[in-house]
Each structure stands twice: as structure tokens, then as C-alpha cells.
């Protein structure tokens, strides 16, 4: 039964984090899980991969991930070696072929869904679960953000949402767990046009891989990567060249992760207990600072709006006063102009009348 982050931290405060987590770590490290019978997996045949990136497209689509900076049909991105991140669950990288320089090699990278996951063995709140169907799933509701899983994973797969300030999650390939639980194919497998990806029961995939090696002895390295590495993985690989030539680790050995992490987890129970408490304190401080910042921002916005409103009203008042003044001046000018024109007209009329009076007097005198 899963517990909420709040309940877990409450238990820490009430019962003492060191003792509680010391027992949890000890119990988890002593449990060696060898995989569920009939669990599913994926066989990736790098010989058949053409580097089309269709698997990346399919993964992005079924998982509703953000669109990449460059479109999926832009194959130049493979000129730089990439790794998965919090927005990309799988990538395909290109490598030089030492045997055929003009024919590059490719490798698909994603979570390998180990039979005994290092991420699960290192997680003291058990946010990771190896499911009977084969996928390693993650429960964000119990995760405390310690990121031990990122350190423990030998394949460097789990990615942290650093740009999410208050609800960051660990992000990785889910092997399309919701889809395969319904009998559907993983998105990448469904999108592959060359059948470089095969989905099915892990034991059947091992038989398929051995058959390909037997049938084409000069085509493949006689090793199935993931059959025993780190206790075995649900993702299996075939290659035409040594796996180190396509960027894969060959130094992992066959020891399951729990055996490697048991001593570390037992040696530092107090550190494990203090860490989530410290994170919680930092979270609370950040939360309070955010609330203060929000309040200050809201107050600043209110002041700015009031100031803008006052300035607008002042400018409007000044504009109206100016308009009234200009209107009065215009009327005064028109009146003045009209009076001047009237005066001129009057002077002209008076002048005409004077001339007419002078003419009548002369006529009478002449008569």
C-alpha cells in the first residue's frame, strides 16, 4: 500500500526518521527479486536499426511529451550524442562503424527496466515498482525528491524536473505501462518500420535473439546484452560490434543492484532519515518565500494600477481643460473676427452715405 508524501513525513516527525528509515532500507536491501514469470520485454536489434527516429516520434506521441526543439525528421541531431531527459524518454544515437565506415551504427537509449532495479533498491520510500508485466513504474505522490535513483542507476536514465519548482518529478521511460497492460504495443515498437524492436515475453525474446545469432553467425556479436547485466534487464540488445563501440557499458557485471546497494543503505540510515526532513524544510521555506513574493507582487501591481489610474485621470482632466481653453479662445477669435468684419462693413456703409449727401447739395446749388 502506498503512502502519501505528507503522511510519510508525518511519521518521520513522530517516530524519528533515523530508526524508521534504517529498518526500511535494511528490509529493502535484503529482498532479492529475480523477476516475474512471463514478464514482457523488448529486443532491440541494432543491425536492423536505420536511425529513422520513428521510435522517438512514437514515444513522444503516446506519452504526450513536449515537442522537441528540432523536428523528428531532422537526422542531424544524431551528429551529437544525446541522452534522455525529463522531456525525452528515448533517443537514438549514431556511431561510427569500425568495419564499414560508410555504414554508421545506431543505438536506441531508454530505461532498461531491470529485473532488480537499482532505482527501486536505492529508493527508501519505494516510489519505484517492478511490475509483473515487466515495466518499472514510478509513483510521484510518495517521492521526496532525494534523487538517489539518479545516482544508483548504472545506465544514467532517471531525469529530474529541475524547472518545476514545487512539484518536480523523476521522469523516465515507462515501457508504455498503461498500453502494455491493455495488450497494446509500446509506442516505439509500434512505430518502428524495420522491426528492429520486438515486444513479447522476455524468455521468448531471448530465444529469438539466440536464433538470430545462430542463423547469422557473422552478423552479430555472440552476446545478448541485458540477459545477465546487473542481474538482467527487460530490454535486450543485439549488436554487430562490441557493445562498447555503440556506447554501452561492459563493466557492469552480473550482480543485481540490491546486493551492491545493501551496505550503503545500512551504513547511512540517519543520513537517509535527515535528508527528506531537510528537503521538507527547504520546500516550506521556498513555499513561504513564494507566498511572500506573490503578496508583494500583488501589492506592487495594485499600486501600479492605482498610480496609472491617477495619472490617466490627471491627464484626462488636463486634456479637457486644455480643450475648453482652446474652444473658448477659438470662440473669442471668431467673435473678434466677426466684430471686426462688422465694423469694417459699417465704416463702408457710412462712407457711402457721406458721398451721396455731398452729391445732392451740389445739384441744389447748381439749380
Amino acid at each position: 500500500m502506498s503512502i502519501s508524501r505528507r503522511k510519510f513525513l508525518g511519521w518521520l516527525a513522530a517516530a524519528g526518521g533515523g530508526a524508521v528509515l534504517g529498518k526500511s532500507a535494511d528490509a529493502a536491501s535484503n529482498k532479492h527479486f529475480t523477476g516475474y514469470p512471463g514478464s514482457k520485454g523488448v529486443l532491440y536489434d541494432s543491425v536492423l536499426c536505420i536511425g529513422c527516429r520513428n521510435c522517438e516520434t512514437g514515444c513522444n506521441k503516446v506519452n504526450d511529451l513536449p515537442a522537441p526543439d528540432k523536428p523528428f525528421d531532422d537526422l542531424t541531431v544524431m551528429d551529437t550524442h544525446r541522452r534522455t531527459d525529463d522531456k525525452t524518454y528515448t533517443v537514438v544515437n549514431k556511431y561510427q562503424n569500425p568495419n564499414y565506415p560508410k555504414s554508421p551504427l545506431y543505438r536506441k537509449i531508454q530505461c532498461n527496466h531491470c529485473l532488480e532495479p537499482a532505482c527501486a533498491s536505492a529508493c527508501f520510500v519505494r516510489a519505484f515498482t517492478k511490475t509483473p508485466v515487466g515495466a518499472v513504474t514510478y509513483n510521484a505522490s510518495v517521492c521526496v525528491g532525494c534523487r538517489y535513483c539518479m545516482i544508483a542507476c548504472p545506465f544514467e536514465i532517471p531525469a529530474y524536473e529541475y524547472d518545476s519548482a514545487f512539484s518536480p518529478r523523476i521522469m523516465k521511460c515507462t515501457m508504455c505501462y498503461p498500453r502494455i497492460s491493455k495488450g497494446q504495443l509500446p509506442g516505439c515498437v509500434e512505430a518502428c518500420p524495420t522491426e528492429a524492436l520486438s515486444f513479447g515475453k522476455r524468455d521468448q525474446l531471448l530465444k529469438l535473439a539466440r536464433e538470430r545469432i545462430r542463423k547469422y553467425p557473422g552478423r552479430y556479436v555472440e552476446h545478448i546484452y541485458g540477459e545477465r547485466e546487473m542481474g538482467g534487464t527487460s530490454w535486450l540488445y543485439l549488436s554487430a560490434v562490441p557493445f562498447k563501440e555503440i556506447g554501452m557499458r561492459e563493466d557492469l557485471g552480473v550482480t543485481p543492484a540490491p546486493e551492491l546497494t545493501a551496505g550503503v543503505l545500512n551504513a547511512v540510515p540517519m543520513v537517509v532519515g535527515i535528508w527528506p526532513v531537510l528537503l521538507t524544510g527547504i520546500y516550506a521555506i521556498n513555499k513561504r518565500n513564494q507566498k511572500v513574493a506573490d503578496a508583494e507582487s500583488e501589492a506592487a501591481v495594485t499600486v501600479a494600477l492605482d498610480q496609472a489610474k491617477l495619472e490617466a485621470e490627471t491627464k484626462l482632466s488636463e486634456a479637457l481643460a486644455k480643450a475648453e481653453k482652446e474652444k473658448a479662445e477659438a470662440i473669442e477669435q471668431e467673435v473678434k473676427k466677426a466684430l471686426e468684419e462688422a465694423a469694417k462693413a459699417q465704416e463702408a456703409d457710412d462712407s457711402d452715405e457721406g458721398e451721396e449727401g455731398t452729391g445732392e447739395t451740389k445739384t441744389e446749388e447748381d439749380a
Side-chain angles (χ1 to χ4, degrees):
M1 180 180 70
S2 63
I3 59 174
S4 67
R5 184 187 287 111
R6 178 177 296 180
K7 182 180 291 185
F8 171 76
L9 294 173
W11 287 352
L12 269 182
V20 172
L21 292 174
K23 293 179 181 178
S24 297
D26 184 43
S29 64
N30 287 332
K31 183 179 180 181
H32 300 284
F33 180 66
T34 57
Y36 290 100
S39 66
K40 303 296 180 63
V42 178
L43 172 64
Y44 170 68
D45 190 335
S46 65
V47 174
L48 300 179
C49 180
I50 59 174
C52 64
R53 298 184 66 199
N54 281 9
C55 56
E56 294 186 37
T57 306
C59 176
N60 181 277
K61 181 179 179 181
V62 301
N63 289 290
D64 295 322
L65 298 174
D69 294 334
K70 294 183 179 181
F72 288 110
D73 58 2
D74 184 351
L75 303 184
T76 63
V77 299
M78 291 187 292
D79 293 338
T80 301
H81 283 189
R82 301 170 295 152
R83 58 161 295 175
T84 59
D85 56 37
D86 59 317
K87 298 178 179 61
T88 310
Y89 289 172
T90 187
V91 296
V92 177
N93 281 337
K94 182 171 65 174
Y95 301 85
Q96 288 298 118
N97 189 335
N99 299 325
Y100 305 98
K102 293 183 178 181
S103 300
L105 301 171
Y106 300 96
R107 176 170 71 101
K108 181 180 181 298
I109 304 171
Q110 74 295 304
C111 174
N112 287 322
H113 298 275
C114 304
L115 299 186
E116 299 182 69
C119 56
S121 66
C123 181
F124 53 86
V125 295
R126 296 176 183 173
F128 292 92
T129 302
K130 179 66 175 181
T131 64
V133 77
V136 176
T137 60
Y138 165 73
N139 185 354
S141 67
V142 299
C143 178
V144 295
C146 68
R147 285 163 281 178
Y148 285 171
C149 56
M150 296 174 63
I151 300 173
C153 179
F155 304 107
E156 300 181 345
I157 293 300
Y160 193 67
E161 288 184 316
Y162 287 102
D163 57 351
S164 181
F166 299 109
S167 58
R169 298 168 296 172
I170 295 293
M171 305 296 284
K172 72 173 192 67
C173 160
T174 66
M175 207 163 92
C176 290
Y177 178 69
R179 290 174 58 86
I180 63 177
S181 298
K182 299 176 183 178
Q184 298 175 308
L185 292 174
C188 58
V189 177
E190 188 174 67
C192 182
T194 63
E195 297 185 358
L197 295 169
S198 301
F199 176 76
K201 292 183 178 180
R202 185 175 184 272
D203 55 356
Q204 295 298 319
L205 294 176
L206 286 170
K207 291 181 180 179
L208 174 62
R210 294 191 186 101
E211 178 61 21
R212 289 185 184 179
I213 293 174
R214 185 198 65 80
K215 190 174 181 180
Y216 305 102
R219 180 183 296 181
Y220 297 100
V221 172
E222 292 187 12
H223 178 67
I224 305 170
Y225 193 99
E227 181 178 10
R228 297 186 181 87
E229 277 77 9
M230 293 299 295
T233 63
S234 292
W235 276 75
L236 306 168
Y237 297 81
L238 288 176
S239 175
V241 298
F243 289 95
K244 65 180 180 180
E245 299 291 339
I246 54 175
M248 300 182 73
R249 293 182 62 177
E250 295 184 339
D251 60 341
L252 296 177
V254 298
T255 304
E259 293 184 24
L260 300 176
T261 58
V264 176
L265 290 176
N266 287 332
V268 292
M270 185 57 70
V271 174
V272 173
I274 292 174
W275 182 243
V277 176
L278 176 62
L279 287 175
T280 304
I282 294 173
Y283 173 84
I285 292 172
N286 287 338
K287 195 73 173 178
R288 180 181 179 280
N289 289 343
Q290 184 63 36
K291 288 181 178 179
V292 172
D294 290 343
E296 291 177 349
S297 177
E298 184 177 351
V301 170
T302 301
V303 171
L305 289 175
D306 291 343
Q307 183 67 27
K309 182 179 179 181
L310 179 61
E311 291 178 357
E313 291 176 349
T314 301
K315 290 181 179 180
L316 177 61
S317 178
E318 292 175 351
L320 290 174
K322 183 178 179 181
E324 288 294 333
K325 182 178 179 181
E326 291 176 350
K327 181 179 178 181
E329 290 177 350
I331 294 174
E332 183 179 352
Q333 288 293 331
E334 291 297 325
V335 170
K336 183 178 179 181
K337 182 179 179 181
L339 291 174
E340 290 176 351
E341 291 178 352
K344 290 181 180 178
Q346 185 62 43
E347 289 178 359
D349 290 343
D350 292 344
S351 176
D352 292 340
E353 290 178 0
E355 291 178 357
E356 291 177 0
T358 304
E360 291 177 355
T361 303
K362 290 181 178 180
T363 303
E364 291 176 354
E365 289 178 354
D366 294 338

